[in-house]
Amino acid sequence: MKKLLLLFLFCPLAALAEFYPGTITMNDGTVKTGFVEIPGTADKNKVAFRADKKGSTEKFSIEDVKMFTVTLKKNEEATYYALKLANIKTFKKEYKVDKDKSWVRMIVPGKVNIVAAYFYSGAVMGAVASTASSGYGYFFWRPENDYCTYFHSDVSSGLSVTIGAFKTLKKFVEINFEQDCPQLAELLVKDDIKKNGLKRIVELYEKNCGK
């Protein structure tokens, strides 16, 4: 995973090094309110903060931060968490969890969350081709864990799922929910996922397994 350059999901904004109104929540529960700069890459180990927009800059280590939320243009809120990423081991159903944390953005909240980051790499997670490519990596995150598990990549259209990727997606869902919702993968319907996107997985989980 170290060879993977993980950039922030939906964040060409990060390249502008702009500070946005927001809050940083530390691991000890302390909340900093002011202006936050979105880190340029998911594996950048610090987040910058200012009490005033043009004031002095403090930087907080990813190891000390639980999450931060910023208000973007048009009052859109974006929330990022400091989590370890877990990738499937080759030819196995087991995940290997990174030692270091990365920044990931909340995409679909629920009893099981979907979080994501933007990647640019040659050979990366799961279904991503071995040639140079960029796109979005999606992960399941159970709130009781300090890591999230990979299940899908998309080099085209964000939350949608192409027909060709459906079989691979279904397999990763089966692996992720083998213990607490073994029927979930079979509840996935190709046209339904294509139409409604990845949020449909969370909806089906909560309806059938997450009570």
Side-chain angles (χ1 to χ4, degrees), residues 99-145:
K99 293 181 180 179
D100 299 324
K101 292 182 178 180
S102 296
W103 302 109
V104 295
R105 181 173 174 174
M106 176 64 72
I107 301 301
V108 182
K111 293 181 180 178
V112 171
N113 305 290
I114 292 178
V115 296
Y118 179 80
F119 65 81
Y120 178 82
S121 182
V124 295
M125 308 169 293
V128 181
S130 59
T131 54
S133 60
S134 63
Y136 305 110
Y138 295 90
F139 303 78
F140 290 121
W141 174 42
R142 292 171 168 82
E144 66 270 19
N145 296 331

Side-chain angles (χ1 to χ4, degrees), residues 111 181 183-184 187 200-211:
K111 293 181 180 178
C181 193
Q183 72 270 37
L184 183 58
L187 295 174
R200 187 69 175 133
I201 301 173
V202 175
E203 293 171 351
L204 289 169
Y205 174 81
E206 294 188 344
K207 180 180 179 180
N208 296 278
C209 309
K211 297 179 181 179

Side-chain angles (χ1 to χ4, degrees), residues 46-117:
K46 292 185 179 180
V47 59
F49 170 82
R50 293 176 181 173
D52 300 302
K53 192 167 186 178
K54 296 187 181 297
S56 59
T57 300
E58 296 180 77
K59 291 187 176 183
F60 298 105
S61 169
I62 193 171
E63 295 300 327
D64 298 323
V65 174
K66 178 181 179 181
M67 58 180 282
F68 70 85
T69 298
V70 294
T71 302
L72 305 174
K73 305 288 176 63
K74 299 182 180 180
N75 291 320
E76 176 193 0
E77 280 198 350
T79 300
Y80 297 85
Y81 291 83
L83 297 174
K84 296 174 183 177
L85 305 182
N87 185 32
I88 198 77
K89 293 181 179 179
T90 305
F91 305 120
K92 294 184 178 181
K93 291 185 177 181
E94 301 174 7
Y95 278 89
K96 181 179 181 181
V97 180
D98 283 354
K99 293 181 180 179
D100 299 324
K101 292 182 178 180
S102 296
W103 302 109
V104 295
R105 181 173 174 174
M106 176 64 72
I107 301 301
V108 182
K111 293 181 180 178
V112 171
N113 305 290
I114 292 178
V115 296

